[in-house]
Amino acid sequence: MPEALPVRQIAYFVPDVRKAATEHHALYGSGPYFVAENIPLGSATHRGNPATLDHTSAYGQWGSVMVEFVQQNNSGPSAFHDMYAEGSGEGGLHHVALFVESIESTIAHYAAAGYEVAFDARMEDGFRFVFIDAVKTHGHMIELYEPTDSLVGFYGLVADKAGRFSDGLLIDISLG
């Protein structure tokens, strides 16, 4: 039996991350939100085929979990459009994120249970993240990543800023 892994993040696909973050804050008091525009990817595959993804994300704290709002800025197939048709304006829960010891062994674990990799990408700095398609059984994707020092540090920063809005609700950052 695999180790029980806590959900580290809940992510929603939305048409406008700034609007979604502002509305979420008004309803739940979450935030502040760190907004990264046009997040650069070094490489990506969607369902095994080379892919391009230009996306923007807003990251904030919601109680004990990070919440992310993500929008796709380019057209074309993606793990987001697998769930929400391109141009439909629809959005909703897209994925939950897990820290895993080994992406490769976790992919193998899911593959043995019949789950496929929907998206596999590396940031320009080499940081890798993967979406496992669990839509039929769970209603959402599962994002996997290994907890690097910079990733854990970013999660810590977002958590430490929770409820402190001296820099505003929406704070622009660069993940490039």
Side-chain angles (χ1 to χ4, degrees), residues 100-123:
V100 298
E101 187 174 317
S102 164
I103 287 178
E104 289 303 324
S105 64
T106 306
I107 288 171
H109 171 74
Y110 281 111
Y115 296 87
E116 297 179 3
V117 172
F119 189 72
D120 191 340
R122 289 190 185 273
M123 304 284 287

Side-chain angles (χ1 to χ4, degrees), residues 38-96:
N38 308 106
I39 299 169
L41 297 181
S43 64
T45 59
H46 173 254
R47 303 211 178 263
N49 298 308
T52 301
L53 178 66
D54 175 3
H55 67 293
T56 296
S57 289
Y59 308 92
Q61 195 70 18
W62 184 19
S64 62
V65 68
M66 178 186 279
V67 62
E68 176 187 13
F69 297 102
V70 61
Q71 71 189 49
Q72 183 169 334
N73 302 321
N74 66 308
S75 61
S78 70
F80 302 119
H81 290 160
D82 286 350
M83 291 181 65
Y84 303 103
E86 183 173 353
S88 70
E90 294 179 346
L93 177 64
H94 183 264
H95 65 268
V96 299

Side-chain angles (χ1 to χ4, degrees), residues 150-167:
S150 60
L151 178 67
V152 171
F154 181 66
Y155 267 74
L157 169 72
V158 172
D160 287 346
K161 291 287 186 178
R164 299 186 329 191
F165 299 96
S166 59
D167 295 326

Side-chain angles (χ1 to χ4, degrees), residues 99 125 127 146-157 175:
F99 288 0
D125 66 1
F127 174 77
E146 295 172 6
T148 64
D149 289 343
S150 60
L151 178 67
V152 171
F154 181 66
Y155 267 74
L157 169 72
L175 293 181

